[in-house]
Amino acid sequence: MKTIKNKTVLVTGGASGMGKAYVQKAIESKAANIIIWDIDPLLMEQVVKENEDHLTGINIYTFKVDVTDTSLVYKTADLILKEIGRVDLLINNAGIVISKPFEDSSPENIDLIMDVNAKAPMHIVRAFLPEMIKSNDAHIVNIASGAAYMYCPKIITYCSSKWAVLGWSLGLSTEMQEKYPHVHVTTVTPGHIDTGMFENAHSSLVPLITVDKMVDAVWSGILKNKELIARPRRVNIVPIIRALSGVKGWNWLARVTGTNDFMAG
């Protein structure tokens, strides 16, 4: 994407954490329209209030959307396309993690994690993609995870959901390049970020990264049309390490680096 100025930006999960930081970046970049999707109306109101002194010439819209409600996703997308117009930059940021051994995971929690993290981004992109294709400069950002390259006890369902996002998003990028090269797709694989979502998480293999560093890297990557962004950068080599070490070797490494106890607190 050449510039975000005067564009329409939509951020899911935009009321807190990284999503809120992306909204603030869009404000700083002078986007024309900023659309926040979140399940918490009060937090969305707070984001608008915190930034009201910087919204001159910028329209900001909030929509209460549960991204697991597929029908609501498409209805809200239709409403936006009719009343606001085409989305130029779509950031699929909404996500959830529930930490517990798989044997203790309820069917409802399994479905929730897969629906929020894996299925929802696909439906959201599908809802907006036909109009984005008509643009001459559109961009989709899908937040996967460094967990998409590994498997960590207590969050294996989360890891699975992010494996799905990684494969789908990279495949989507390939499809767009072949048929609609003006629609760029960036896949993001962060390590654990200090948003509170992974409070007390630890691993010497994938150390903590700040929200600001992660968001700055993604924003720069959008402007450079990067296909894949990993922070910390060592996340990029995790697949190589796993391939070279084999299952037993990787499991040993995961134990000694604390990765197997990533969510132990």
Side-chain angles (χ1 to χ4, degrees):
M1 177 161 274
K2 300 178 182 73
T3 181
I4 290 147
K5 187 176 181 181
N6 297 325
K7 301 286 189 180
T8 295
V9 179
L10 189 154
V11 183
T12 69
S16 61
M18 280 180 61
K20 180 179 177 180
Y22 289 127
V23 168
Q24 289 169 334
K25 278 287 189 184
I27 293 170
E28 291 169 13
S29 300
K30 303 296 182 185
N33 301 300
I34 300 170
I35 303 163
I36 304 173
W37 281 17
D38 206 278
I39 58 171
D40 192 325
L42 293 178
L43 281 181
M44 287 192 284
E45 276 182 36
Q46 188 177 326
V47 172
V48 176
K49 273 189 177 180
E50 287 174 2
N51 291 284
E52 58 188 359
D53 292 339
H54 306 285
L55 295 177
T56 303
I58 298 173
N59 300 308
I60 190 160
Y61 305 88
T62 61
F63 292 86
K64 182 182 177 182
V65 180
D66 177 350
V67 296
T68 68
D69 185 339
T70 302
S71 176
L72 180 61
V73 164
Y74 283 97
K75 284 178 183 176
T76 309
D78 285 343
L79 179 65
I80 287 168
L81 292 170
K82 287 174 185 172
E83 298 193 356
I84 302 171
R86 180 177 59 226
V87 170
D88 302 298
L89 171 58
L90 169 59
I91 302 178
N92 263 318
N93 168 77
I96 187 172
V97 62
I98 298 172
S99 174
K100 57 178 60 182
F102 188 73
E103 65 188 280
D104 298 326
S105 299
S106 68
E108 293 79 14
N109 282 350
I110 292 169
D111 285 344
L112 179 62
I113 292 168
M114 296 304 294
D115 286 350
V116 172
N117 294 350
K119 287 173 62 178
M122 297 181 189
H123 286 298
I124 294 166
V125 169
R126 185 64 188 84
F128 288 104
L129 187 58
E131 290 301 315
M132 297 181 84
I133 286 170
K134 296 175 185 177
S135 168
N136 60 5
D137 186 23
H139 207 112
I140 298 163
V141 177
N142 297 311
I143 309 298
S145 172
Y149 294 130
M150 59 185 81
Y151 42 89
C152 302
K154 295 189 178 179
I155 56 167
I156 58 172
T157 306
Y158 172 82
C159 293
S160 300
S161 70
K162 293 301 186 177
W163 281 50
V165 172
L166 179 66
W168 162 73
S169 186
L170 291 174
L172 179 65
S173 178
T174 300
E175 286 190 359
M176 292 300 103
Q177 284 181 28
E178 290 180 354
K179 197 169 182 182
Y180 307 108
H182 56 286
V183 180
H184 298 277
V185 181
T186 296
T187 306
V188 184
T189 56
H192 63 290
I193 308 167
D194 62 350
T195 60
M197 188 175 178
F198 290 97
E199 190 174 0
N200 297 321
H202 58 88
S203 167
S204 58
L205 184 64
V206 185
L208 185 73
I209 184 170
T210 67
V211 170
D212 287 345
K213 282 186 178 179
M214 190 70 245
V215 171
D216 285 347
V218 173
W219 215 250
S220 174
I222 292 168
L223 296 173
K224 295 175 182 176
N225 292 327
K226 285 194 172 181
E227 286 187 72
L228 185 63
I229 298 170
R231 291 293 186 282
R233 294 180 191 275
R234 71 176 67 177
V235 170
N236 274 324
I237 66 170
V238 169
I240 300 170
I241 296 171
R242 281 185 52 235
L244 293 176
S245 60
V247 174
K248 287 184 179 179
W250 169 259
N251 290 343
W252 173 84
L253 181 63
R255 282 196 301 273
V256 300
T257 59
T259 304
N260 266 4
D261 295 320
F262 186 63
M263 296 297 292

